[in-house]
Amino acid sequence: MRFWALLSIFISCFVSAPLLAADANIDFGQQKSEEKANKAMSEVQRLSGNIQALKNRVITLNKDLRVMEEALLFPTNTQFSVFVAVEGGQFFTLESVKLKIDDKMVSTHLYSAKQREALNRGGVQKLFMTNLSEGKHEVTAFFTGIGPNGRAYKRAAELTLEKGKASQYLELAITDDRARQEPVFSINQW
Amino acid sequence: MRTLTRFLLTLVIASQYATAAQVKDLEYGGILFDYYQQDYFSALVQYEYANSQNALQHHGNEARLLKGGMTLSYGIAGQAEDIFSQLLTPEVAAEQRNRAWFYLAKLYYQKADTPRAAHALMQINGQVPQEIAGEYNYLATLINIRNRQTDAANAGIDQLSDNLRFQPYLIYNLAVSQLQRGKTDEAMANLNRVMTAAVTHKSEELAVLADRARHALAQLEMTQGNLLSAWNYLQGVRTTGLYSNRALLTYAWAAIKLKRYSDAVPALRLLDQRSITIPETQEAKVLLAHVYETEGAKRSSLKQYLLAEKSFKEGLNAIEMARKVIASQEIPQEFVINLEAMLDESDWYGMQPSLDYNKLTPFLTELMASNNFYSVIKELRDLYGIRRNLQFWQMQIHEHELIIRIRRDQTGMEKLMADVNASQKQFRFYKDGLMEQKLTTLTLSERDQERFTSLWQNTQKDLELVGDKVTQVAAIKEPYKLSYQLQARSKKLAAQVEQELSNTNSLIHSLEKVMRGVITAELDKHEERIRYYWAQARLGKARLYDKALNNIEDSSSGAQQ
């Protein structure tokens, strides 16, 4: 009984004041956490110069590697690149593109919403790069997507070209025909 | 500041709608393709590549401006500042110069250098380019708010009345600034404007902002002793969403202060059901028991204290688990890479995070919202990206070396030429054969001839293609030989890749250490809080037992008497 009596006194001394106010003012290691965060921030700032320099160097290195790789794999006299561009895009939502060169399927691409938006805003996608010999070649592109009035749309464009000695660029273009209210698909040489 | 206001007024003419970029160089379009997908690293590499190929002739300064913007977004602020500064000369077209001043202003504002940001904005002459008009107004108004130019800020806010992306945030910021200056009535009026905007235009983003505004208004009313007004504001805060926890707790406290204990109970019960990792839930568990106790519901109170104790124990176990998770070797990387998925910004094919974040992230919600932590994560994300890129090139270089070696040791030219001769003979044979077949078909009736026409034409077309290729190969005098320069270049680049990979790993190691330190401190904070409330629950329980004992003693002594 004596133990319970003592415990009772202890509890009345220390516990008799129940929660009466919100605990918003209690620190709960907030200060320590903030100190740690500030210390971390100054460490990040200290490293920031090195990180920025590294980023710069790696970008230049990537450029050099790409130039070297192209020189190795796609020499200028045989290089052949195909790009995709959208102008307008009001009457067609691009879902996929398939590319055939000389009757061989060489590339297919399925577009994400982000990529579609980038194309609609003026971005140009490098779809395919290869080596082509000089002479006549046939290029066919198939475009799949949603056309006017939400209908599924599949169209093709074809071009026969004479590959010269220099590198060559093709543009698979999707434009709007406002008069006919429908998309136009074409292959242009640059 | 008057000048700033004047410029804001001229901006009303500018349209808010962005138009698609006009691409005159394909490679420039390639930069835009990556840039619009916010893949700044690839876009910058594409820029450097296109520039090295002299493929940006039609987009000179425009491309440089774009590069400045990309370097800024990719966290190379020093270089961005240089690029923009170089575009401020009179030789640069006015539109591009204006853009350069705008981006410089943005850069300075991000560095918290408001006077220089204001100065840069004031250098913009004439009409602001359409694409940046909205952002320009937003930045100018933010600067006006920070410089306490309330009239100019209000004018800017009014001009953005049809821009829901910016206007409500500006009003909220203005209210916060007014509060800091003790202009409580004006601040409250602006917070009410935010609420009205959210009612007029329904969107999740505005609803969250309105919750914030309501909560702020409730706090202000409580500070002024207007508990009933506070109560009214809090009733409008949604019971789900980002600010619901804080609002529910404030609501309960307001009810307790009004001595409306039964009204506090539903809010506390709702919080009680939520995750133990939420600070408000931790407080609510003990507070609910206390409310029961105050109302005389001793059994309910004791039960709540016991349940709270159990929950706190589970909370501490969860923290222990989180500590183990973050100590694992690969966690910072997975954490950063999957951050977007965790924040529900997964990509279109529905990427799933590969880490069990339930064990870690609930404790870090508050931390992840802080700018400092986000900076660490952003830098780490870029470094991981760089490491993946360099590792990719390591593999590619290995293949390049293989190709170079094979091409340098090129043999078998004689066999190749013999094959070409054989192919040429074979081609001539087929060509003659085809001609003969054509002549034979001429002896047939017209109807039969028509049947063979398309077959004959297709075969001839195929033969022409083959003939073309055979002629091309026959024209080769000797096989293509790689220059020694290319071989040397490849070796040099391979060494550079190795070096940069080592530098990247070293920086990653340093940043991971920083990240682990910050997370540990956050977990410590959670642990300290949970232990505090656990102690409160124990004391509450002890208090109830004590009272029960006293009652037993009283009744037994009464019985003895």
Side-chain angles (χ1 to χ4, degrees):
Chain A
M1 237 354 151
R2 204 175 150 205
F3 168 77
W4 288 111
L6 280 172
L7 182 67
S8 174
I9 293 164
F10 169 82
I11 290 169
S12 348
C13 288
F14 294 97
V15 194
S16 55
L19 281 150
L20 280 175
D23 291 338
N25 297 330
I26 303 173
D27 184 343
F28 292 127
Q30 183 74 30
Q31 202 186 337
K32 202 174 133 196
S33 179
E34 274 169 19
E35 274 170 19
K36 199 92 182 172
N38 289 337
K39 211 173 146 190
M41 206 52 212
S42 43
E43 178 68 3
V44 172
Q45 274 163 1
R46 191 183 67 77
L47 294 170
S48 175
N50 293 343
I51 295 173
Q52 287 193 38
L54 174 85
K55 284 178 175 176
N56 256 328
R57 288 198 308 271
V58 173
I59 287 166
T60 313
L61 180 60
N62 265 263
K63 181 260 294 176
D64 291 341
L65 284 160
R66 200 168 143 187
V67 171
M68 199 269 296
E69 189 177 62
E70 281 188 9
L72 184 69
L73 303 179
F74 308 106
T76 325
N77 54 341
T78 55
Q79 195 183 91
F80 184 80
S81 310
V82 181
F83 295 82
V84 178
V86 176
E87 204 177 306
Q90 206 184 324
F91 308 116
F92 185 68
T93 307
L94 181 63
E95 281 181 351
S96 74
V97 165
K98 285 180 186 171
L99 181 71
K100 267 186 175 183
I101 298 180
D102 297 332
D103 247 3
K104 256 190 211 163
M105 185 68 75
V106 290
S107 177
T108 59
H109 190 86
L110 198 61
Y111 289 88
S112 67
K114 259 185 173 182
Q115 289 174 329
R116 261 198 300 272
E117 204 201 324
L119 284 174
N120 287 339
R121 291 176 71 184
V124 177
Q125 180 206 10
K126 189 179 254 183
L127 179 71
F128 184 63
M129 196 179 202
T130 188
N131 291 305
L132 271 193
S133 58
E134 283 172 47
K136 225 177 232 182
H137 295 280
E138 259 180 25
V139 178
T140 316
F142 301 92
F143 304 87
T144 316
I146 311 288
N149 305 320
R151 277 179 294 131
Y153 218 72
K154 193 177 175 182
R155 291 287 184 276
E158 201 176 23
L159 178 79
T160 305
L161 61 98
E162 187 77 29
K163 168 82 175 63
K165 280 184 178 171
S167 53
Q168 193 146 10
Y169 302 95
L170 276 196
E171 180 196 26
L172 311 182
I174 303 163
T175 47
D176 289 345
D177 183 341
R178 290 187 184 277
R180 298 173 68 180
Q181 300 273 299
E182 61 177 30
V184 178
F185 304 91
S186 58
I187 304 180
N188 311 318
Q189 290 191 63
W190 276 63
Chain B
M1 277 308 119
R2 276 179 61 206
T3 335
L4 263 185
T5 321
R6 198 182 71 227
F7 281 136
L8 282 173
L9 289 170
T10 61
L11 272 184
V12 186
I13 319 157
S15 156
Q16 303 284 338
Y17 301 104
T19 49
Q22 292 295 312
V23 174
K24 290 170 193 154
D25 290 315
L26 280 177
E27 296 290 358
Y28 178 71
I31 304 172
L32 290 179
F33 187 65
D34 289 327
Y35 170 70
Y36 288 138
Q37 291 178 72
Q38 296 179 338
D39 183 357
Y40 302 116
F41 177 76
S42 302
L44 282 164
V45 173
Q46 172 67 17
Y47 173 89
E48 293 300 335
Y49 169 78
N51 204 27
S52 73
Q53 305 295 302
N54 212 10
L56 296 173
Q57 287 172 348
H58 297 99
H59 299 276
N61 287 333
E62 201 182 343
R64 282 188 62 71
L65 198 62
L66 181 64
K67 187 192 172 187
M70 292 187 302
T71 44
L72 185 60
S73 302
Y74 190 52
I76 320 177
Q79 199 192 7
E81 191 174 351
D82 291 345
I83 295 170
F84 295 138
S85 304
Q86 284 160 16
L87 288 165
L88 303 175
T89 56
E91 296 81 49
V92 176
E95 190 186 320
Q96 282 152 7
R97 208 170 47 237
N98 280 345
R99 277 172 193 265
W101 277 120
F102 169 71
Y103 288 124
L104 264 180
K106 215 172 154 182
L107 192 150
Y108 292 138
Y109 187 80
Q110 279 175 11
K111 286 182 176 177
D113 190 348
T114 316
R116 284 179 84 187
H119 175 260
L121 272 196
M122 281 191 278
Q123 304 309 310
I124 297 177
N125 283 315
Q127 204 169 13
V128 173
Q130 288 180 358
E131 293 84 6
I132 55 166
E135 274 191 85
Y136 170 92
N137 269 347
Y138 182 64
L139 182 61
T141 312
L142 278 177
I143 291 171
N144 281 331
I145 291 172
R146 199 171 273 189
N147 286 337
R148 300 182 174 185
Q149 298 292 325
T150 313
D151 290 343
N154 272 322
I157 288 170
D158 289 343
Q159 282 174 21
L160 284 163
S161 57
D162 56 344
N163 192 328
L164 284 174
R165 197 177 138 213
F166 295 136
Q167 202 208 29
Y169 286 96
L170 287 171
I171 300 173
Y172 188 85
N173 281 340
L174 181 62
V176 172
S177 148
Q178 286 166 330
L179 268 179
Q180 284 165 350
R181 281 177 284 143
K183 296 186 171 181
T184 315
D185 291 344
E186 285 155 353
M188 287 176 86
N190 277 324
L191 288 171
N192 274 303
R193 270 177 82 190
V194 174
M195 279 166 46
T196 316
V199 171
T200 322
H201 308 280
K202 304 266 181 226
S203 82
E204 176 58 26
E205 205 180 333
L206 282 185
V208 170
L209 193 68
D211 281 348
R212 254 175 110 168
R214 280 194 190 93
H215 191 247
L217 281 163
Q219 296 275 22
L220 285 170
E221 294 284 10
M222 280 171 82
T223 324
Q224 291 171 2
N226 304 327
L227 289 175
L228 273 173
S229 303
W231 176 267
N232 283 333
Y233 281 123
L234 288 166
Q235 278 177 330
V237 181
R238 294 171 308 159
T239 52
T240 55
L242 213 57
Y243 292 91
S244 62
N245 300 325
R246 181 55 35 198
L248 282 168
L249 191 64
T250 316
Y251 177 91
W253 273 114
I256 291 167
K257 282 176 183 168
L258 285 166
K259 298 200 186 306
R260 291 162 73 162
Y261 298 109
S262 53
D263 285 330
V265 172
L268 292 172
R269 271 195 185 154
L270 202 57
L271 274 173
D272 186 40
Q273 286 159 14
R274 295 186 181 179
S275 167
I276 189 66
T277 59
I278 301 167
E280 287 82 3
T281 301
Q282 295 158 13
E283 189 173 336
K285 282 187 185 297
V286 183
L287 192 56
L288 181 60
H290 165 67
V291 169
Y292 285 143
E293 194 183 336
T294 315
E295 282 191 306
K298 285 175 189 162
R299 271 170 187 271
S300 300
S301 175
L302 185 61
K303 189 182 167 191
Q304 180 60 28
Y305 279 131
L306 290 169
L307 287 172
E309 272 197 86
K310 198 180 159 207
S311 298
F312 292 137
K313 196 179 172 188
E314 283 167 6
L316 286 178
N317 287 339
I319 287 178
E320 198 49 44
M321 184 67 81
R323 286 189 199 280
K324 280 181 188 160
V325 170
I326 197 63
S328 310
Q329 196 59 35
E330 295 297 321
I331 292 306
Q333 183 172 340
E334 297 218 12
F335 182 77
V336 171
I337 291 170
N338 291 303
L339 189 68
E340 283 190 2
M342 282 150 44
L343 298 174
D344 288 325
E345 288 172 8
S346 57
D347 51 5
W348 64 283
Y349 51 86
M351 186 178 73
Q352 291 295 316
S354 58
L355 177 70
D356 186 3
Y357 293 100
N358 291 333
K359 290 175 185 158
L360 180 62
T361 49
F363 293 106
L364 305 181
T365 317
E366 203 181 313
L367 186 64
M368 285 197 293
S370 80
N371 280 336
N372 291 355
F373 187 67
Y374 191 68
S375 303
V376 179
I377 284 191
K378 225 174 138 189
E379 291 290 20
L380 259 179
R381 186 189 60 190
D382 291 347
L383 287 176
Y384 291 139
I386 287 175
R387 181 161 72 182
R388 280 196 305 278
N389 171 271
L390 292 171
Q391 283 167 343
F392 163 78
W393 279 117
Q394 254 186 338
M395 286 195 306
Q396 288 296 102
I397 282 175
H398 183 68
E399 286 178 19
H400 294 166
E401 282 168 355
L402 202 68
I403 295 168
I404 289 172
R405 205 170 57 238
I406 289 168
R407 285 197 188 162
R408 289 227 69 87
D409 304 339
Q410 199 88 257
T411 52
M413 187 61 186
E414 294 76 17
K415 190 181 175 299
L416 182 71
M417 294 320 285
D419 286 348
V420 170
N421 284 335
S423 299
Q424 271 181 317
K425 271 184 200 165
Q426 223 168 2
F427 170 69
R428 276 194 294 271
F429 171 76
Y430 287 131
K431 201 177 170 187
D432 293 345
L434 189 69
M435 285 310 291
E436 269 177 40
Q437 292 294 326
K438 194 185 175 187
L439 287 172
T440 313
T441 54
L442 287 175
T443 61
L444 301 171
S445 66
E446 260 185 41
R447 200 178 158 192
D448 286 340
Q449 275 184 46
E450 268 174 29
R451 285 172 56 205
F452 281 100
T453 308
S454 63
L455 183 65
W456 183 84
Q457 278 173 346
N458 283 339
T459 317
Q460 194 180 29
K461 207 167 121 188
D462 288 347
L463 260 180
E464 270 173 21
L465 279 173
V466 173
D468 201 34
K469 283 191 173 39
V470 170
T471 318
Q472 296 287 331
V473 179
I476 298 170
K477 298 282 178 262
E478 57 175 351
Y480 169 72
K481 276 187 184 163
L482 282 170
S483 70
Y484 282 101
Q485 236 180 348
L486 197 63
Q487 198 174 10
R489 181 119 191 84
S490 170
K491 273 191 179 167
K492 194 182 160 198
L493 289 174
Q496 275 183 321
V497 169
E498 289 298 328
Q499 180 58 47
E500 296 302 3
L501 194 57
S502 154
N503 293 338
T504 309
N505 282 331
S506 155
L507 283 167
I508 285 174
H509 179 72
S510 306
L511 273 188
E512 277 184 354
K513 206 171 143 192
V514 170
M515 185 184 172
R516 281 198 170 100
V518 174
I519 289 179
T520 307
E522 184 70 10
L523 291 177
D524 288 347
K525 194 170 90 181
H526 277 282
E527 187 173 337
E528 200 172 316
R529 190 190 297 109
I530 289 182
R531 285 197 186 282
Y532 169 81
Y533 286 116
W534 194 356
Q536 290 274 352
R538 278 178 183 156
L539 291 173
K541 188 179 70 178
R543 192 169 54 238
L544 286 174
Y545 281 145
D546 180 54
K547 277 183 188 167
L549 270 174
N550 282 340
N551 287 345
I552 293 166
E553 269 186 18
D554 288 349
S555 41
S556 63
S557 56
Q560 277 173 4
Q561 282 168 7

